């Protein structure tokens, strides 16, 4: 069993299901409403645990009811939260998510200002115990410290390179694998297409670079060669968390010694299956379900 640390944020997702996403001001009625745990690193941790990894989530929440609920849900889903910190008197982070009938979504995130950026306390964690360390970019100081400590310990590092206000180039440089969202890659390489954007990103790191492009799948570089894993066709209900789940599955497969091609194909299938159920976590498959699904495409 591989052991993985997921470092970053945990967020309470408030998901409103609508027939169509609003295009103008007005009043709208949701068909369904759910409150579930979210956040890039936290959801990646759930995916990794679902796939059989031993997972620690390392992050910050408030000590409010939301923070307690977030950590309790992670524990219930097989993720260890003993290394996380609850900030006394602090509020936890929130997201409002609108999802349309085709599963597309709009996310409005409110990162709590009560959670200190300082990550000095990560120095007390023995990162050499892990087979892989995944970090999201939403807690920049935490990602920097965790990726640095992991590399010093000779542990593989994976960056969830999404959009964030900070410049993430230094985090890409610390990563053995940097998996970008399409908007995240655009921030690194403005005006570039996926292939040229990946080549720009590759100049920042000695590791591998990838970009997920929604239904079109995932692109990555093998040397100078652009590789492509098409997306798997499913009846999408909710795409919330698909990228986070992809990163968690990618971390597990790479930690098990799979090649990037094998890891991307498996992670793409996991992310596709997640989209068949509402919320960011309910549809995450286990390894057997994923392999059964992949057997349909041999």
């Amino acid at each position: 069993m591989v052991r993985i640390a997921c470092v970053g944020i945990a967020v309470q997702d408030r998901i409103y299901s609508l027939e169509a996403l609003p295009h103008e001001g007005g009043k709208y009625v949701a068909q369904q409403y759910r409150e579930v745990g979210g956040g890039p690193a936290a959801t990646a941790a759930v995916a990794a645990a679902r796939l059989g990894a031993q997972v620690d989530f390392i992050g910050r929440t408030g000590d409010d009811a939301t923070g307690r609920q977030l950590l309790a849900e992670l524990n219930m889903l097989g993720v260890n939260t003993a290394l996380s910190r609850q900030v006394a008197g602090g509020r936890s982070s929130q997201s409002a998510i609108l999802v349309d009938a085709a599963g597309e979504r709009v996310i409005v995130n409110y990162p709590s200002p009560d959670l200190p950026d300082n990550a000095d306390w990560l120095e007390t964690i023995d990162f050499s115990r892990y087979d892989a360390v995944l970090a999201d970019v939403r807690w920049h100081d935490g990602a920097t410290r965790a990726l640095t400590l992991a590399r010093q310990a000779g542990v593989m590092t994976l960056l969830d390179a999404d959009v964030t206000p900070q410049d993430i180039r230094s985090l890409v440089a610390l990563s053995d694998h940097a998996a970008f969202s399409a908007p995240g890659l655009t921030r690194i390489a403005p005006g570039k297409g996926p292939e040229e954007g990946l080549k720009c990103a590759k100049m920042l790191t000695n590791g591998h670079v990838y970009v997920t492009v929604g239904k079109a799948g995932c692109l990555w570089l093998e040397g100078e060669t652009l590789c492509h894993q098409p997306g798997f066709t499913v009846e999408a209900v909710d795409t919330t968390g698909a990228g986070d789940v992809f990163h968690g599955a990618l971390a597990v497969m790479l930690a098990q010694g799979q090649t990037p091609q094998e890891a991307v194909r498996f992670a793409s299938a996991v992310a596709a299956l997640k989209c068949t159920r509402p919320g960011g976590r309910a549809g995450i498959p286990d390894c057997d379900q994923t392999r059964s699904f992949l057997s349909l495409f041999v």
Side-chain angles (χ1 to χ4, degrees):
M1 178 187 296
V2 297
R3 187 168 187 178
I4 294 173
C6 293
V7 181
I9 64 169
V11 177
Q12 183 75 359
D13 286 345
R14 292 179 164 84
I15 304 175
Y16 301 82
S17 298
L18 305 168
E19 186 63 30
L21 297 177
H23 294 289
E24 58 184 270
K27 296 182 179 180
Y28 301 87
V29 176
Q31 281 78 50
Q32 287 187 328
Y33 171 77
R34 298 176 182 83
E35 290 187 14
V36 295
T43 299
V46 173
R50 180 72 172 148
L51 294 170
Q54 185 177 352
V55 188
D56 292 339
F57 171 72
I58 304 171
R60 307 148 302 149
T61 66
D63 66 350
D64 54 356
T66 296
R68 292 190 291 274
Q69 182 178 341
L70 288 172
L71 296 180
E73 181 180 329
L74 287 171
N75 288 325
M76 181 185 68
L77 293 171
V79 176
N80 176 47
T81 63
L83 298 177
S84 293
R85 287 202 168 179
Q86 290 185 276
V87 177
R91 295 166 294 172
S92 298
S93 297
Q94 315 278 344
S95 285
I97 303 176
L98 305 183
V99 181
D100 70 12
E104 293 300 324
R105 81 284 188 271
V106 172
I107 300 176
V108 180
N109 175 243
Y110 178 69
S112 172
D114 301 338
L115 308 181
D117 290 331
N118 183 280
D120 290 348
W121 55 276
L122 298 188
E123 297 281 351
T124 65
I125 298 172
D126 177 13
F127 280 89
S128 69
R129 75 181 78 179
Y130 300 111
D131 297 293
V133 172
L134 178 155
D136 70 39
V137 296
R138 304 294 176 80
W139 178 26
H140 195 279
D141 291 7
T144 298
R145 191 61 58 95
L147 295 177
T148 298
L149 292 169
R151 291 194 66 141
Q152 289 173 352
V155 174
M156 185 193 74
T157 55
L158 169 62
L159 179 69
D160 173 354
D162 202 359
V163 174
T164 192
Q166 296 97 336
D167 188 335
I168 68 169
R169 287 175 173 82
S170 62
L171 299 180
V172 175
L174 287 169
S175 305
D176 297 311
H177 300 268
F180 291 86
S181 65
L185 186 61
T186 298
R187 291 285 296 272
I188 290 288
K192 304 288 186 182
E195 182 173 5
E196 290 304 312
L198 284 174
K199 289 180 178 178
C200 291
K202 186 66 181 73
M203 296 175 66
L204 301 172
T205 176
N206 292 323
H208 292 81
V209 291
Y210 315 73
V211 60
T212 53
V213 284
K215 294 178 181 178
C218 180
L219 302 166
W220 73 100
L221 292 178
E222 294 281 3
E224 294 296 316
T225 302
L226 182 68
C227 301
H228 179 218
Q229 168 62 53
F232 292 99
T233 300
V234 295
E235 187 174 342
V237 172
D238 187 351
T239 59
T240 303
D244 308 331
V245 168
F246 174 89
H247 296 125
L250 186 69
V252 172
M253 293 298 106
L254 292 171
Q256 290 179 353
Q258 302 293 314
T259 67
Q261 181 177 3
E262 293 167 332
V264 167
R265 184 171 187 267
F266 191 90
S268 297
V270 174
L273 288 170
K274 183 240 77 72
C275 294
T276 61
R277 293 185 62 185
R281 297 174 179 174
I284 300 173
D286 61 21
C287 282
D288 288 341
Q289 291 169 323
T290 305
R291 292 191 183 102
S292 178
F293 176 74
L294 283 172
S295 70
L296 302 174
F297 299 91
V298 174

